[in-house]
Amino acid sequence: MKNILVIAPHPDDETLGCGGTLLRHIDEGDLVYWLIGTTIKEEQGFPSSKVKSRKKEIKKVSDEYGFAGYKQFDYNTTELDQVPRNILVNKISEYVNEVKPHTIYLPYRNDIHSDHAQIFDASVACTKSFRYPFVRKVCVYETLSETEYGLRTDDSGFKPNLWVDISRYLNQKIKIMKIFESEFGEHPFPRSEANIRALSHLRGSTCNTKAAESFIIIKQTV
């Protein structure tokens, strides 16, 4: 049994990026923890009904997965670049030390959303072997509607080196994603059932399975 930590800039990133893999971890007896980097607030222009419903969605998603625990930071969504890096690192470090994960899942550094880059940069500071010896593996996931829209000319693109068979878990992943009602739509909207299935089937064809999620391993200690 291993402790697993998925760090998501926003609720739904974890499901889009590695929902099937998280379900597989849990099915295999691992304890999975969820860290959410931001929240939505009325002062940002979000209606109170959406703020309340999002809190309920997060609780329901955690229950559906069977997460061992989750934590959500109070930072405004889209504004992580205004949070001093040392403060964000310290906040993430506190939870990493609490969970002591063997494996951490992170968003791709060059996703188009700036919050993803801020979470990645702060999180990798919490994977140093001499400070966090329990962290043995760090994987980067791809997030539909974020990874494929990255347009940096100096980025060679998301090039996975790990594929995880999620054939048994794809339908449940989609069921969980639908809990985030305002984040889900009909094709060609990128966060759609059709698109989730398409990417899963594409990654599956690469590793000779019906459905898969792919990752970039950026650290592995064996």
Side-chain angles (χ1 to χ4, degrees):
M1 182 181 73
K2 299 182 179 70
N3 286 358
I4 309 298
L5 175 61
V6 57
I7 303 181
H10 319 97
D12 81 352
D13 292 328
E14 76 299 320
T15 301
L16 290 168
C18 53
T21 301
L22 300 178
L23 289 165
R24 178 168 172 166
H25 273 296
I26 293 167
D27 196 30
E28 293 174 352
D30 294 332
L31 297 178
V32 177
Y33 296 83
W34 180 24
L35 178 58
I36 308 165
T38 62
T39 190
I40 59 174
K41 301 175 185 176
E42 291 182 52
E43 52 263 39
Q44 281 189 289
F46 292 97
S48 60
S49 58
K50 185 169 183 179
V51 173
K52 292 176 182 177
S53 65
R54 178 56 54 83
K55 291 180 180 178
K56 292 179 181 178
E57 289 171 353
I58 290 170
K59 177 62 167 60
K60 186 175 181 180
V61 165
S62 178
D63 290 343
E64 284 289 324
Y65 274 109
F67 286 151
Y70 73 88
K71 183 180 183 64
Q72 183 176 21
F73 291 160
D74 194 44
Y75 302 124
N76 292 345
T77 185
T78 74
E79 297 180 11
L80 278 181
D81 57 348
Q82 299 178 32
V83 179
R85 178 63 52 79
N86 66 313
I87 291 178
L88 186 55
V89 169
N90 287 338
K91 291 282 286 185
I92 293 173
S93 177
E94 288 176 6
Y95 198 62
V96 169
N97 277 311
E98 178 182 336
V99 170
K100 290 184 168 48
H102 171 280
T103 301
I104 297 178
Y105 290 97
L106 299 175
Y108 183 52
R109 173 63 176 76
N110 290 323
D111 285 350
I112 198 166
H113 201 306
S114 61
D115 283 348
H116 289 224
Q118 299 302 317
I119 286 293
F120 177 91
D121 288 345
S123 297
V124 294
C126 302
T127 65
K128 296 176 180 178
S129 298
F130 65 92
R131 294 194 187 278
Y132 310 89
F134 42 81
V135 178
R136 312 290 287 179
K137 186 175 181 180
V138 181
C139 297
V140 172
Y141 57 82
E142 56 183 331
T143 308
L144 279 170
S145 78
E146 303 294 350
T147 306
E148 75 272 28
Y149 282 96
L151 298 177
R152 288 182 49 158
T153 57
D154 60 341
D155 177 26
S156 60
F158 186 87
K159 297 185 181 302
N161 54 16
L162 172 67
W163 289 259
V164 176
D165 184 355
I166 63 161
S167 302
R168 291 177 51 195
Y169 308 102
L170 178 56
N171 288 337
Q172 191 176 355
K173 167 179 173 165
I174 292 170
K175 177 185 175 183
I176 292 173
M177 184 59 205
K178 287 181 178 179
I179 294 173
F180 296 111
E181 294 184 7
S182 64
E183 304 301 325
F184 201 77
E186 294 294 325
H187 185 72
F189 186 69
R191 296 189 296 275
S192 66
E193 179 173 347
N195 212 20
I196 291 172
R197 289 191 183 277
L199 180 58
S200 299
H201 293 159
L202 173 65
R203 296 311 188 191
S205 69
T206 307
C207 61
N208 197 33
T209 64
K210 290 183 178 179
E213 289 170 340
S214 62
F215 304 89
I216 302 172
I217 299 178
I218 58 174
K219 175 181 179 178
Q220 185 166 21
T221 305
V222 296

